């Protein structure tokens, strides 16, 4: 009998971490932990780190109003009092109770025209990503392509599911189709099968880049040609000022796009309500066909069973309050976020005038919306530099390297502007400039800055 | 270049189901789908199929009261109005906001004495199962042992994660430690490593069996000896009448038990709030130690990020209304469920008097609580029999074979009693008896009953 080494019985319930799943040792978790520790250790620092929605416009009483509005809506639609009660208290359908309202808002806000049956309501966009990746990555040779730097949620999903990720690095101006094509062909040459490509086309987290409309068309053509699906994640559009470019999904004529959405930024994070739009046809060996949304729903039944009907009720009430247009609910927030972003850019411009910028070798992009921008610096923006920045200059940011699955971004910094006041932004950028100057000077003297 | 066959580009977004992950073709899903279809096709049938909580005691207005009670509680604890607002609207900590209240209720209701840090609040018990299985099943040789028949949620998790499941069949009287020992040794002999054993010790879904207290002690000793963790799932205890046996976790002196809980039955399903209690120490290569709960929290951050703070607020308000004792909130429901179960047993007794019972070869167990009981019948209780039962006799039930991961249970029927009225139970059992008699007669004539 070949008994494998066991880490239990343990006299005191001790487990060895090496025997736990690799996802608990994901390096992203360690870096995020470090970021949290730095933040806790320096409560007085100004933090450009968290992509936290601004909460000043939230009002507790509205929760009650929204739930009541939804219940009234159900009554108006002919629901009995038992139906209304069950709509809050019982499990409800796995695919969600408010698919119709979401489909309606997608049509009005985003030009995405799909039947409610192709919508799956999820526990935030995170679960939507998990369902999409799980459905599509089926075999050991299947791989997930991601635009890099990328949101840590998607690499987290891959980590939990043990899915191989291939990063397609953004060029200076953002994502390029030629790079995706080359990466897919290289994977295929290795006998692997790229199945999907994850990207945030608008005001990306972390880089802040937005994909031009020509690239969107080009990407849709390329996806069809390469035989991959696009996982489009788009949480920042409706909280950005001005007119947005069309979503990939709204331009999608060949059902190449699975659109992943979240109400965390547009309504509120505490709902934990997101969705996947998956109108692809799935055909089995007998010719029977289903929607991909149905297949995602099956997986959801094994992950969270369903999304809290109570949370869905609040989201529904909010959508109903604006005749289904989430965009209308975000005029104040998008103005706020827009001002925070442009204020940060103004401060950067003022603090690093062109001559200084050139001397230091500092540059940044200029997002028109979203929560994030990238600053390129002339020194390694690593964990040690972050610790010095917090300790010596009272300003916190996120190393861009945290967001590169295959390495890279070592001289990039993500600044998040979403919840800071104008005063914090001005003071924060001033501190940031002093930190950058000190790192530059230390580097010029051949040693890292430290006290 | 070896391009693998691609199922895209599709002229119209067509995917081949064989290219999707195997979990979407899990046979349990098909059987559950069939059950749903039968139920929809026969709306007049009396259904002993769904394990649905009874909803007659729910009151919509209470949702508002509970949320307000929690917010007041936060204020009394010194929270500012911004803190209170954020407690509903913002993301909140991944491990949950109400761990202290849950730890308190576990101490009072269940004799489980753990610090709040060992509790992870989850999106229902389903996510808790997923986190536990994901953390513990790390290598290709790792396997999950389950008491069989078992809840479909645990096999669903295994399916999504691609985890191997080994069924330990219940004997007539329920689970036997000797069978678990033999199964674990057999797996080890094959070079596999059993890591955990999933069981519902009280009023099990689907069989209705409860583990005697001596077996609980024996199982704890055996788990320590074999080096496996026990995943204890226990949703029906507080909604069952009378005094319950001690939980495995309350008897656990060696931290061999991860306790998985749900408020879906004790409070309400629509909250989608459950939890895992994982007070095991995890030690890494450097000697640094964490709680298993922290490791589960990391995985949760990649599955759902966090559990809706709004849902947690309602659950917290409910617990606060009873000074933390969920048991007190369930006096009415446990009496209701208890009466439904004993009423069903009385009807079975009356409808199948001993002589008839012996003649037909019908028997059943007599659970003292929970939602489910098992009826053993003298004919194959398969999908075809279910269709005849619904069509010809107007009564629906669940084939026990649906709950056996490795086959078995072909002559078992699960009856769920949880939400039926006494009238439905009486009429339903009368119909069920006619169905059983007809199947028996048809079998005696060498052919299945059909019209």
């Amino acid at each position: 009998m070949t008994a494998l080494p066991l880490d239990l019985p343990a006299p005191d319930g001790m487990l060895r971490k090496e025997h736990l799943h690799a996802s608990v040792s994901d390096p992203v978790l360690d870096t995020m932990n470090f970021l949290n520790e730095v933040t806790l250790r320096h409560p007085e620092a100004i933090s450009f780190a968290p992509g936290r929605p601004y909460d000043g416009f939230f009002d507790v009483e509205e929760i009650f109003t929204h739930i009541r509005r939804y219940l009234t809506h159900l009554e108006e639609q002919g629901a009995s009092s038992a139906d209304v009660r069950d709509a809050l208290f019982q499990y409800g359908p796995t695919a969600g109770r408010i698919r119709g309202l979401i489909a309606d808002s997608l049509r009005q806000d985003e030009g995405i025209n799909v039947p409610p049956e192709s919508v799956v309501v999820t526990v935030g966009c995170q679960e939507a990503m998990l369902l999409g990746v799980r459905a599509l990555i089926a075999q050991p040779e299947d791989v997930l392509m991601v635009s890099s730097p990328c949101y840590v949620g998607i690499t987290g999903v891959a980590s939990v599911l043990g899915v191989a990720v291939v990063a397609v690095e953004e060029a200076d101006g953002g994502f390029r189709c030629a790079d995706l094509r080359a990466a897919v062909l290289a994977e295929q040459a290795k006998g692997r099968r790229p199945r999907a490509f994850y990207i945030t086309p608008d005001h990306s987290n972390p880089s802040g880049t937005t994909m031009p409309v020509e690239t969107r068309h080009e990407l849709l053509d390329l996806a069809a040609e390469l035989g991959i699906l696009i996982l489009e994640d788009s949480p920042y559009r409706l909280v950005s000022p001005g007119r947005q470019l069309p979503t990939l999904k709204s331009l999608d004529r060949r059902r190449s796009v699975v659109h992943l959405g979240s109400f965390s930024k547009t309504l509120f994070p505490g709902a934990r309500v997101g969705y996947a739009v998956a109108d692809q046809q799935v055909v089995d060996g007998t010719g029977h066909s289903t929607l991909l949304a149905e297949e995602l729903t099956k997986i959801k039944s094994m992950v969270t069973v369903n999304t809290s009907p109570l949370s869905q009720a609040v989201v529904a009430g909010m959508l109903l309050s604006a005749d289904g247009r989430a965009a209308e609910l975000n005029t104040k927030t998008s103005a706020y976020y827009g001002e925070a972003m442009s204020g940060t850019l103004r401060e950067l411009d003022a603090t690093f005038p062109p001559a200084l910028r050139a001397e230091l070798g500092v540059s940044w992009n200029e997002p028109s919306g979203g929560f994030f921008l990238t600053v390129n610096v002339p020194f390694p923006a690593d964990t040690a530099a972050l610790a010095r920045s917090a300790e010596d200059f009272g300003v916190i940011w996120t190393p861009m390297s945290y967001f590169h699955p295959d390495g890279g971004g070592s001289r990039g910094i993500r600044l998040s502007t979403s919840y800071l006041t104008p005063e914090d932004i001005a003071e924060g950028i001033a501190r940031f400039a002093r930190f950058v100057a000190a790192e530059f000077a230390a580097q010029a003297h051949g040693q890292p800055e430290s006290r």
Side-chain angles (χ1 to χ4, degrees), chain A residues 359-389:
Chain A
E359 185 201 332
L360 296 175
V362 170
S363 65
W364 54 88
N365 62 353
E366 299 189 347
S368 61
F371 288 11
F372 309 103
L373 66 97
T374 305
V375 181
N376 301 304
V377 293
F379 52 83
D382 56 12
T383 290
L386 170 58
R388 290 191 293 273
S389 180

Side-chain angles (χ1 to χ4, degrees), chain A residues 180-450:
Chain A
L180 173 60
R181 177 196 297 276
V184 165
L185 296 181
E187 290 303 309
Q188 288 175 343
K190 287 185 233 166
R192 303 217 281 181
R193 184 160 66 173
R195 292 280 288 158
F197 174 58
Y198 171 89
I199 190 163
T200 305
D202 300 274
H203 318 299
S204 177
N205 176 6
S207 68
T209 54
T210 290
M211 188 189 290
V213 71
E214 314 80 64
T215 311
R216 293 176 194 233
H217 287 289
E218 200 189 337
L219 174 58
L220 288 165
D221 290 344
L222 182 62
E225 179 200 328
L226 294 174
I228 59 175
L229 284 178
I230 299 166
L231 302 178
E232 176 183 43
D233 183 7
S234 214
Y236 304 107
R237 293 171 53 82
L238 301 185
V239 290
S240 294
R243 204 180 160 77
Q244 304 300 306
L245 296 178
T247 58
L248 288 166
K249 187 66 193 163
S250 70
L251 302 172
D252 178 25
R253 298 288 163 267
R254 284 161 296 206
R255 300 191 193 175
S256 294
V257 180
V258 174
H259 184 84
L260 308 173
S262 169
F263 289 113
S264 291
K265 275 77 186 180
T266 53
L267 302 183
F268 68 111
R272 302 305 302 128
V273 176
Y275 51 89
V277 178
D279 60 348
Q280 288 72 19
Q281 293 282 328
V282 176
V283 185
D284 70 12
T286 70
H288 176 71
S289 96
T290 51
L291 284 176
L292 180 57
E294 292 176 61
E295 307 301 327
L296 299 184
T297 302
K298 290 179 190 171
I299 300 174
K300 180 175 169 68
S301 74
M302 303 182 267
V303 175
T304 58
V305 183
N306 57 8
T307 304
S308 166
L310 181 66
S311 288
Q312 291 186 66
V314 181
V315 165
M318 285 185 165
L319 291 175
L320 287 165
S321 75
D323 284 330
R325 296 179 62 91
E328 275 191 17
L329 300 169
N330 282 286
T331 46
K332 272 198 294 189
T333 44
S334 57
Y336 184 91
Y337 294 132
E339 185 43 47
M341 177 62 75
S342 58
T344 306
L345 292 170
R346 274 197 309 274
E347 294 295 336
L348 283 168
D349 268 336
T351 318
F352 295 98
L356 178 62
R357 214 176 301 179
E359 185 201 332
L360 296 175
V362 170
S363 65
W364 54 88
N365 62 353
E366 299 189 347
S368 61
F371 288 11
F372 309 103
L373 66 97
T374 305
V375 181
N376 301 304
V377 293
F379 52 83
D382 56 12
T383 290
L386 170 58
R388 290 191 293 273
S389 180
E391 174 79 19
D392 299 340
F393 299 93
V395 63
I396 295 174
W397 39 266
T398 313
M400 195 61 94
S401 58
Y402 290 8
F403 305 104
H404 285 263
D406 291 350
S410 63
R411 295 178 171 227
I413 280 177
R414 185 188 80 169
L415 297 186
S416 169
T417 61
S418 56
Y419 77 108
L420 295 175
T421 61
E423 297 69 34
D424 277 347
I425 289 171
E427 174 61 23
I429 293 299
R431 294 180 186 184
F432 181 70
R434 290 196 288 274
F435 156 72
V436 168
E439 291 286 316
F440 179 82
Q443 179 151 291
H445 291 91
Q447 56 182 35
E449 166 77 7
S450 69

Side-chain angles (χ1 to χ4, degrees), chain A residues 122-137:
Chain A
T122 55
V123 180
C125 192
Q126 187 66 31
E127 191 192 25
M129 290 190 278
L130 187 139
L131 302 181
V133 172
R134 175 66 305 167
L136 295 170
I137 307 294

